[in-house]
Amino acid sequence: MLLIPCPWCGKRAQTEFTYRGDATVERPDLADSDSQWYDYVYTRDNPRGEHTEWWHHTGGCRKWFKVRRNTWTHEVISSEPPVRD
Amino acid sequence: MGAFRNSSGGTLDRTQRIRFRFDGKQYSGFQGDTLASALLANGVRVVGRSFKYHRPRGVFGMGVEEPSAMVRLRTGARAEPNVRVTEVELFDGLEAHSQHCWPSVNFDLGAIANVMSPLLPAGFYYKTFMWPATKWMFYEHFIRKAAGLGSSATEPDPDNYSRSYEFCDVLIVGAGPAGLSAALSAASSGAKVMLVDETPDGGGRLRFDDEVINDGPADKWLNETLRELSKMPNFEFRFRTTAFGYYDQNMVVALERVSDHLPEPEPGQVRQRVLQIRAKQVVLASGSIERSIPFGYNDKPGVMLASAVRGYALKYAVACGRRAVVFTNNDSAYATVTALHSVGAQVVAVVDSRTQSPGKRALEQLGDAKLIQGSVVIKTKGLRSVQAVEIGQIADEGDSPKKSHTIRCDLVCVSGGWTPTIHLFSHAQGKLNFDDSISAFVPGADIPALHVVGSANGEFSLAACLRQGSDAGIESAKQAGYETTASVSIPTAPEESVGDMEPLWSVPRTGSRVKRFVDIQNDVTIDDIELAHTEGFVSVEHLKRYTTLGMGTDQGRTSNINGLANLARLRKAEVPEVGHTTFRPPYTPVSLGALAGVDFSEHLSPVRRTPLHQWHERNHAHLQNSGVWKRPAYYPRTGESVQDAILRETRHVREKVGITDVSSLGKIDVQGRDAAEFLERIYINRWKSLQIGRCRYGLMLREDGFVFDDGTSTRLSENEFYMTTTTANAGPVLEHMEIYAQTVWPELHVHLTSISDQWAGMALAGPFSRNVLNTVIGEQAASNENLPYMGVINARIADVPVLVFRVSFSGELGYEIHIPSRQAELVWETILAAGQEWEIAPYGLEAMTILRIEKGHVVAAELDGRTTAADLGFGRMMKPDGDYVGKRLAERSALTANGRKQLVGIKSIDSSPIPRGAQIIAEPSGGKPAQTFGQVTSACFSPHLNQEIGLALIKDGRLIYGKTMYAASPLTGREVPVEIVHHIFVDAEGERVRG
Ligand SMILES: [Zn+2]
């Protein structure tokens, strides 16, 4: 079981979190093309190696944040809050 | 005492005699015995029969490595199959039975398989019983009866199991010399240290090897060390605890056998406990296991590991035989000679396959036993156990040894070298290197925060084990943030000069029928490996699966490397080229009970009860599971049938007034200066225009354009909304909104809080509902002017502050009253009392379902993740301007095209009930395949219409009102003609709810 570093609470057991996949995709604007929207909703890379992904501290502070993780070695490299404008 | 036990020696408590039964016969042993040592002391040699050939098998090892001596332990509900006798601590009244033999262990009909064995080569079952496939089930029945391990208990397990979460700075696995030395060093730094060991008292080889530490007897050092550690507050021992898996980031999972050494657990005591240990640093001091040498009939009772014979002699004062031959390729087995002498056994000869001389200490240990160098044991002789061995000189590479003479003996002590126990290192994805000097795989490149020491690391000298352990203890404590201040004194042992071992992977073939066993649990022989190789199996993973080598409960601890090396020999390759099979958790079998812990039966998943639950129970509600919730289905009256109760409750709401518990609805408090803007983007309809004190029905989509959830939300103030969700989606909707609030539109100032548990809810519905409300909050407050349809007010009932919503799920005049959970029952009872005049009655989920179908309200059956807002008749709610979740993909052509399934009502034409889940077809099919135009999503008998009705999703349904179609249920063989109608059966104009 992984230890996930919540930027607010510190390292906690994986069972406290919900995983939501690729954190690099950004929601397009209404005016953007159909293909951009399809990609956003349906298409994800499945990298073997480092990956930036969304995690939710569901059983804790309920914050969403980004984790940099190696999908091959399971090494958790870093975590950060969602970028604010 | 038994004929094979010395009257003194060992570490037994001879004052405590213990009685036990094996295969119905009474024996006795002492406190401190294992079942294995007690059986050997009583001269019991045949303990079971082998898996495939039903050959007699005895005790071979002394601990976790034991491949063959397995029994069914205990009886009745506590009976456990495949228990290694070497790991069972003897207790009074113990009962054990031999396995897979019938009618008895000494006369087994299945042994016919042994005579037939030329017909049972590797892969026999695969080849013979594969075709025709339909016959496999037939064959399997008999194969499983003949081959296979013990049977488990059929009654429910009476014992309890638990799980605990442990945290430490340094976890040390194994309490042998290296582990204890590591523990001393690490604990002296102040770090929190935990030491686990699978035995009852630790010590490893120091328990049975005659060694010197710090210039004194090793057992003195051992006892002092255990005493010293036990006094340290930052140190914890867990004995009888096997670390069986290593997982990411230093999480080690272990099984603690809390009470397996007792006849049964003490009252309140668990049987076993699974420990999830999260350690900053792990020191792996898991030791090594002696391996066998495949020679002719090396599986017979009387052939044992040299280290085990030594252990039984020194720890239990048991002589495993009276005349022994030692067969070895390394120095370690020579200590067995002195050990056997100490219990009065005779050692006839040491057969050493090496031509070079053993080391100095080995020669001292040899004493006056005869040394036969450059020779091997060709085969054993004897029917049910060893009676003699044939000795032969090693010939040229690959040639058969030449028989020189026969020695009469009843015990062969074999040592083919030592294999480091590196399973946990492999679980950690550690790479292994092959060390030629010990002919074994050892840990390769370092893994962060994991230190492998001692013989697990391929280091067999005691002095070096102590040193490595101590160094790792200091280093691991340091990496965990603790400096060792006082100078740690490293325990010392004399440095020995040891002769090199020479690999002997098998004794070459001497006759076509002579079986040389590699894996004595699964009856895999050298011939089987040769056959597999001949048939083209060149990968170790394929070899393993084809021959079943190492696939038994012992996972081939004493045999795997012999199998790999023989495959390498056949492939004319080096062992590392052939590689090794992958170790996976668990290291030893773990009972399902321990893995389940307390998570079974009613504890399997959490149960949620509403704040009114106790009232429902007191008033004899029939409770039903609704997701994780327990909700009242109906409140039957004396003598009333289920159906009558449901119909009465339904009619009562339409004709008078009813009240029901809706506390399980999800409730979310949405606050912030952008709260209205946020809801505008979450829901498909408008929210900024909603007045304070009013509520609105809202529908939300997923980003893919399909409907996600619905509910009513209220504007409590400019910047605060009280949102409700469906019961099932309470959690998912909050998470969904958190994603958007925190990651997509972080610029919006909005705060989301679940208040589902803080607020209870009840729905008051029926023509007299306002009359009831009048009496509890006053006529003025409850008036149509003050509380119009979709209005919301603050009020007090029984002096409890409540929210009253003018909403309806049934199509009748209705209200929802939300109350702080703790006061829910008080308010509920106050309303019931006030409503007596109007004959108020509670109603349950069943009546609520009928009422909502009559009103055409959609629930999860219709919001199935494949319906759009337009499909459900909510197309006009979708605001044309502005962004909201799901807008863009809801506009794609496939979701807006003609021909989609639309929500409609259906009425049974011939009065027969409409089958739920039925498919809608155009013509009666007579059971033949037919094109489907949709499906029935909900159905019920409507007491209001006195008709069987339902809701359905039908292709272009709204265009075909009045048409007759057929609801076909192939499962029940029924086809019901139905008329397609509008989905709202009651109060389509909304006059009642607005009245
Ligand atoms: Zn957190």
Side-chain angles (χ1 to χ4, degrees):
Chain A
M1 183 165 43
L2 294 174
L3 281 177
I4 302 296
C6 172
W8 291 275
C9 308
K11 284 186 179 177
R12 294 287 188 278
Q14 188 183 339
T15 46
E16 293 183 16
F17 297 85
T18 308
Y19 175 76
R20 192 171 171 260
D22 195 343
T24 63
V25 292
E26 286 203 16
R27 191 172 184 271
D29 288 331
L30 275 186
D32 287 333
S33 70
D34 282 355
S35 67
Q36 279 171 287
W37 275 95
Y38 279 105
D39 279 351
Y40 168 65
V41 174
Y42 293 114
T43 318
R44 294 291 183 275
D45 289 336
N46 185 19
R48 179 187 194 251
E50 289 196 10
H51 191 220
T52 303
E53 49 200 27
W54 287 117
W55 286 80
H56 185 226
H57 199 178
T58 318
C61 66
R62 297 204 65 94
K63 293 287 191 193
W64 283 96
F65 57 96
K66 294 178 184 179
V67 173
R68 186 99 182 127
R69 191 177 67 95
N70 189 313
T71 61
W72 185 32
T73 64
H74 299 183
E75 184 194 359
V76 176
I77 299 146
S78 61
S79 71
E80 56 173 329
V83 178
R84 289 196 169 264
D85 287 348
Chain B
M1 197 70 221
F4 291 85
R5 173 109 68 189
N6 243 28
S7 55
S8 64
T11 51
L12 301 157
D13 180 357
R14 283 183 167 78
T15 64
Q16 291 202 56
R17 190 170 284 250
I18 293 179
R19 295 190 181 284
F20 69 100
R21 296 175 86 87
F22 175 66
D23 275 349
K25 202 175 161 199
Q26 184 88 42
Y27 298 97
S28 73
F30 290 124
Q31 182 70 39
D33 259 328
T34 63
L35 179 52
S37 65
L39 286 170
L40 289 164
N42 283 281
V44 177
R45 302 205 105 187
V46 182
V47 178
R49 292 272 173 169
S50 70
F51 187 77
K52 192 163 127 187
Y53 300 134
H54 289 244
R55 290 171 61 87
R57 289 293 153 81
V59 175
F60 183 75
M62 184 177 176
V64 67
E65 76 282 0
E66 175 60 42
S68 59
M70 291 184 297
V71 294
R72 190 173 200 249
L73 187 66
R74 296 185 168 89
T75 55
R78 288 197 166 90
E80 188 182 6
N82 312 328
V83 178
R84 288 184 280 271
V85 297
T86 53
E87 293 192 298
V88 177
E89 294 175 56
L90 206 61
F91 56 80
D92 212 40
L94 178 149
E95 271 196 62
H97 288 90
S98 54
Q99 299 186 149
H100 41 111
C101 41
W102 186 85
S104 83
V105 69
N106 286 315
F107 178 73
D108 173 22
L109 281 180
I112 193 82
N114 188 26
V115 183
M116 306 270 285
S117 62
L119 303 176
L120 290 170
F124 172 73
Y125 295 127
Y126 292 132
K127 290 167 186 164
T128 311
F129 297 115
M130 281 303 281
W131 302 102
T134 48
K135 282 282 183 345
W136 171 248
M137 301 296 276
F138 173 77
Y139 294 139
E140 192 188 18
H141 176 73
F142 292 97
I143 292 170
R144 292 228 182 277
K145 236 178 154 165
L149 297 175
S151 53
S152 57
T154 51
E155 297 142 66
D157 189 338
D159 293 327
N160 294 310
Y161 300 82
S162 74
R163 182 180 306 147
S164 86
Y165 300 87
E166 306 284 342
F167 301 86
C168 59
D169 294 308
V170 180
L171 171 69
I172 299 163
V173 178
L180 287 169
S181 179
L184 279 176
S185 298
S188 73
S189 73
K192 190 178 173 209
V193 178
M194 185 185 259
L195 176 56
V196 301
D197 191 276
E198 63 193 2
T199 68
D201 49 7
R205 59 178 285 207
L206 302 182
R207 291 276 174 202
F208 53 86
D209 268 353
D210 192 12
E211 295 285 359
V212 170
I213 295 179
N214 290 351
D215 301 320
D219 56 352
K220 180 165 166 278
W221 176 83
L222 171 62
N223 292 328
E224 282 169 6
T225 302
L226 292 174
R227 207 160 36 241
E228 187 180 337
L229 286 168
S230 68
K231 284 188 205 141
M232 301 175 92
N234 58 326
F235 178 83
E236 189 179 356
F237 253 133
R238 293 290 184 120
F239 290 123
R240 300 186 175 104
T241 301
T242 304
F244 66 78
Y246 177 102
Y247 299 87
D248 289 312
Q249 292 159 313
N250 271 0
M251 192 176 86
V252 174
V253 183
L255 179 73
E256 185 179 10
R257 290 172 296 276
V258 180
S259 56
D260 275 355
H261 60 292
L262 305 173
E264 60 184 69
E266 311 271 1
Q269 192 181 38
V270 297
R271 179 184 167 218
Q272 295 174 345
R273 180 182 292 130
V274 168
L275 312 177
Q276 292 192 9
I277 309 164
R278 185 72 75 169
K280 287 185 185 148
Q281 300 281 315
V282 174
V283 177
L284 203 54
S286 42
S288 54
I289 287 172
E290 198 163 35
R291 60 177 88 125
S292 181
I293 299 172
F295 58 90
Y297 306 120
N298 59 329
D299 63 322
K300 252 174 228 162
V303 178
M304 295 177 70
L305 290 176
S307 57
V309 172
R310 198 151 76 236
Y312 288 116
L314 298 181
K315 189 168 178 184
Y316 305 102
V318 168
C320 295
R322 299 189 203 283
R323 278 172 62 86
V325 165
V326 175
F327 178 26
T328 185
N329 64 349
N330 68 86
D331 277 14
S332 71
Y334 284 75
T336 304
V337 178
T338 35
L340 279 169
H341 284 158
S342 77
V343 287
Q346 185 190 352
V347 179
V348 192
V350 173
V351 179
D352 193 324
S353 63
R354 299 172 295 182
T355 43
Q356 53 146 337
S357 196
K360 181 166 159 279
R361 188 171 179 208
L363 286 173
E364 285 166 15
Q365 289 162 330
L366 176 69
D368 54 7
K370 187 177 171 195
L371 176 60
I372 309 174
Q373 282 180 269
S375 294
V376 294
V377 173
I378 295 172
K379 66 178 181 190
T380 64
K381 294 183 159 188
L383 196 59
R384 268 199 286 275
S385 66
V386 174
Q387 285 166 350
V389 288
E390 270 183 18
I391 309 295
Q393 283 250 304
I394 288 189
D396 287 341
E397 179 76 33
D399 287 352
S400 303
K402 196 167 160 38
K403 180 185 162 187
S404 56
H405 58 296
T406 300
I407 299 176
R408 203 166 49 78
C409 65
D410 60 357
L411 177 66
V412 182
C413 315
V414 61
S415 177
W418 292 79
T419 305
T421 303
I422 36 70
H423 296 64
L424 264 64
F425 181 79
S426 289
H427 298 173
Q429 300 187 2
K431 295 280 169 284
L432 304 180
N433 291 337
F434 192 74
D435 183 340
D436 281 317
S437 71
I438 58 169
S439 291
F441 286 101
V442 294
D446 286 348
I447 289 181
L450 178 60
H451 315 257
V452 190
V453 296
S455 67
N457 198 29
E459 184 51 74
F460 296 144
S461 109
L462 179 58
C465 285
L466 293 166
R467 209 162 42 233
Q468 270 189 6
S470 184
D471 289 351
I474 294 167
E475 180 60 22
S476 57
K478 189 175 162 191
Q479 285 181 29
Y482 295 84
E483 285 291 342
T484 319
T485 46
S487 62
V488 180
S489 66
I490 300 172
T492 57
E495 302 282 352
E496 308 282 351
S497 79
V498 178
D500 292 338
M501 69 92 73
E502 270 177 21
L504 178 62
W505 302 119
S506 63
V507 171
R509 174 197 300 271
T510 50
S512 63
R513 301 283 297 265
V514 178
K515 284 194 178 66
R516 294 164 293 162
F517 286 86
V518 181
D519 177 339
I520 65 171
Q521 181 172 130
N522 277 357
D523 278 343
V524 181
T525 64
I526 295 288
D527 288 354
D528 289 327
I529 293 172
E530 290 178 354
L531 178 68
H533 176 256
T534 308
E535 294 186 357
F537 293 90
V538 293
S539 137
V540 289
E541 297 286 357
H542 292 159
L543 175 79
K544 167 179 158 178
R545 282 156 185 81
Y546 193 60
T547 62
T548 70
L549 169 73
M551 284 173 71
T553 59
D554 65 328
Q555 294 191 11
R557 285 184 228 296
T558 58
S559 62
N560 263 352
I561 185 79
N562 289 333
L564 311 181
N566 275 288
L567 181 65
R569 170 176 62 82
L570 296 162
R571 282 177 52 186
K572 301 191 175 16
E574 298 297 320
V575 176
E577 280 176 66
V578 171
H580 54 85
T581 54
T582 310
F583 294 115
R584 292 191 180 85
Y587 172 65
T588 48
V590 181
S591 68
L592 292 174
L595 292 175
V598 297
D599 300 329
F600 70 99
S601 186
E602 69 266 38
H603 301 295
L604 189 58
S605 70
V607 171
R608 300 195 69 181
R609 298 175 179 88
T610 78
L612 294 164
H613 184 81
Q614 287 172 340
W615 191 93
H616 300 320
E617 282 195 323
R618 282 202 309 275
N619 287 274
H620 315 295
H622 178 84
L623 293 164
Q624 79 177 50
N625 294 329
S626 169
V628 291
W629 291 91
K630 295 273 181 210
R631 298 181 66 183
Y634 49 89
Y635 303 82
R637 290 181 181 168
T638 315
E640 201 177 36
S641 73
V642 174
Q643 191 60 18
D644 287 349
I646 294 167
L647 295 180
R648 168 183 52 75
E649 289 177 7
T650 312
R651 279 194 203 100
H652 202 80
V653 172
R654 295 258 177 252
E655 291 161 12
K656 292 181 174 144
V657 57
I659 187 165
T660 192
D661 181 0
V662 296
S663 301
S664 64
L665 285 176
K667 303 163 210 90
I668 300 168
D669 182 63
V670 184
Q671 290 194 49
R673 68 167 191 251
D674 295 317
E677 171 65 29
F678 182 69
L679 290 189
E680 194 91 9
R681 298 191 198 180
I682 289 293
Y683 282 126
I684 66 171
N685 47 332
R686 297 195 188 283
W687 292 86
K688 286 198 272 198
S689 57
L690 184 66
Q691 292 172 352
I692 293 167
R694 303 282 294 185
C695 63
R696 186 168 276 175
Y697 175 75
L699 196 69
M700 60 179 79
L701 308 183
R702 301 186 309 224
E703 200 70 276
D704 64 4
F706 293 101
V707 174
F708 176 28
D709 199 57
D710 67 348
T712 304
S713 292
T714 303
R715 192 166 209 165
L716 295 176
S717 70
E718 181 65 22
N719 294 328
E720 182 175 9
F721 289 80
Y722 183 96
M723 174 190 254
T724 66
T725 73
T726 60
T727 297
N729 275 336
V733 165
L734 179 64
E735 200 169 302
H736 171 82
M737 297 208 297
E738 283 169 334
I739 292 169
Y740 286 91
Q742 296 174 28
T743 75
V744 181
W745 303 306
E747 69 280 6
L748 295 184
H749 288 253
V750 60
H751 202 89
L752 309 168
T753 309
S754 167
I755 49 170
S756 300
D757 294 344
Q758 284 73 17
W759 288 85
M762 50 197 74
L764 183 67
F768 298 145
S769 56
R770 185 181 290 131
N771 305 64
V772 177
L773 198 61
N774 282 341
T775 60
V776 288
I777 66 168
E779 283 193 31
Q780 198 284 324
S783 69
N784 198 31
E785 292 70 38
N786 189 55
L787 183 54
Y789 183 57
M790 299 309 266
V792 182
I793 57 167
N794 288 299
R796 294 187 92 85
I797 298 178
D799 213 28
V800 177
V802 300
L803 281 169
V804 185
F805 306 75
R806 174 87 181 271
V807 292
S808 172
F809 199 56
S810 58
E812 296 301 324
L813 175 66
Y815 303 88
E816 261 184 38
I817 300 154
H818 288 210
I819 318 112
S821 292
R822 281 167 201 273
Q823 278 88 35
E825 197 172 307
L826 171 63
V827 170
W828 172 271
E829 291 209 300
T830 303
I831 296 172
L832 281 177
Q836 269 190 351
E837 190 186 343
W838 313 98
E839 297 178 50
I840 191 169
Y843 65 100
L845 205 50
E846 293 286 351
M848 195 196 299
T849 299
I850 294 173
L851 292 164
R852 76 95 193 163
I853 294 174
E854 289 177 337
K855 177 61 183 168
H857 263 303
V858 290
V859 295
E862 287 78 31
L863 310 181
D864 67 354
R866 295 174 296 179
T867 46
T868 67
D871 296 343
L872 300 172
F874 297 121
R876 284 189 308 172
M877 276 173 70
M878 300 166 81
K879 51 187 173 276
D881 54 307
D883 191 5
Y884 58 83
V885 177
K887 178 185 172 78
R888 192 61 164 69
L889 266 65
E891 290 168 354
R892 54 185 155 153
S893 55
L895 271 64
T896 54
N898 291 332
R900 288 192 60 81
K901 293 177 189 172
Q902 296 172 329
L903 180 70
V904 294
I906 47 176
K907 289 180 175 177
S908 170
I909 291 173
D910 65 3
S911 308
S912 58
I914 300 169
R916 267 174 234 185
Q919 295 293 308
I920 300 293
I921 57 178
E923 300 292 338
S925 73
K928 293 205 178 64
Q931 187 190 352
T932 170
F933 292 86
Q935 72 273 9
V936 177
T937 54
S938 306
C940 68
F941 172 75
S942 162
H944 180 69
L945 303 169
N946 195 27
Q947 205 166 17
E948 295 286 346
I949 64 166
L951 298 175
L953 289 162
I954 298 179
K955 187 178 179 188
D956 288 327
R958 288 195 287 268
L959 300 176
I960 53 169
Y961 290 151
K963 187 173 173 179
T964 298
M965 296 188 89
Y966 296 82
S969 164
L971 278 178
T972 56
R974 294 175 52 219
E975 293 187 345
V976 179
V978 294
E979 181 191 348
I980 314 295
V981 296
H982 191 271
H983 64 279
I984 302 178
F985 296 89
V986 171
D987 195 33
E989 307 304 317
E991 286 162 2
R992 295 191 197 186
V993 297
R994 289 188 168 81

